[in-house]
Amino acid sequence: MTDGTAVDSRPTKIMYVAEATAHGGRDGYVTSQDGQLELKVAMPPAFGGDGNGTNPEQLLAAGYSACFHNALILVGRRAGYDLSGSTVAAKVGIGPDEQRGYGLAVALSVSLPVVERELATKLVDAAHEVCPYSNATRNNIDVMILLG
């Protein structure tokens, strides 16, 4: 981990740009520019909706878990380990904050059955430094990583 000093995690070169458009906010649909994504979006029941569709928090959980898992596989490979059979699950919570808005919290559950716990901890810490989602959320969103 870092020593507490700010680290600039902005890219020096953009290699890929994802583009998506929301239609109707939390009660509508989202599409990607390339047509790969077209999803109905609905307010979850906890916020008075019918839950008959995905929501931004589910999309963030899917993106963060996939990105973090890829970072974990990458750091494992660099260290000489095959992390086949590992998984990363994400939970994204939303609720009111102290400024009359809303905030997010993330819990990542990492399963690394192929390595010992001490090594798994080091690999997870390294992945947390590499993962673009971790870098984007650092010091903005509470992210808890659980190693199972």
Side-chain angles (χ1 to χ4, degrees):
M1 302 294 287
T2 63
D3 62 4
T5 57
V7 175
D8 187 352
S9 62
R10 293 174 295 180
T12 57
K13 176 183 174 185
I14 301 296
M15 298 174 64
Y16 170 74
V17 174
E19 185 178 340
T21 303
H23 310 266
R26 286 183 171 267
D27 281 312
Y29 63 100
V30 292
T31 58
S32 62
Q33 175 273 333
D34 63 2
Q36 292 295 311
L37 184 69
E38 187 171 331
L39 298 170
K40 181 177 183 193
V41 180
M43 191 78 74
F47 286 101
D50 63 13
N52 190 19
T54 190
N55 59 65
E57 293 72 36
Q58 288 176 330
L59 295 171
L60 177 59
Y64 202 158
S65 62
C67 189
F68 193 90
H69 195 212
N70 196 70
L72 185 61
I73 292 167
L74 174 70
V75 299
R77 186 180 316 124
R78 287 179 179 169
Y81 297 97
D82 177 4
L83 300 183
S84 296
S86 62
T87 60
V88 175
K91 292 182 181 180
V92 174
I94 183 172
D97 65 16
E98 294 180 4
Q99 286 79 39
R100 299 186 316 183
Y102 287 84
L104 300 171
V106 174
L108 299 175
S109 297
V110 180
S111 174
L112 279 169
V114 295
V115 296
E116 293 182 15
R117 187 164 188 83
E118 185 177 331
L119 174 59
T121 299
K122 289 178 182 178
L123 294 173
V124 166
D125 288 346
H128 195 44
E129 294 300 316
V130 170
C131 176
Y133 277 60
S134 292
N135 289 330
T137 60
R138 189 169 285 113
N139 299 321
N140 296 309
I141 295 175
D142 286 336
V143 177
M144 180 174 44
I145 301 177
L146 307 166
L147 186 57

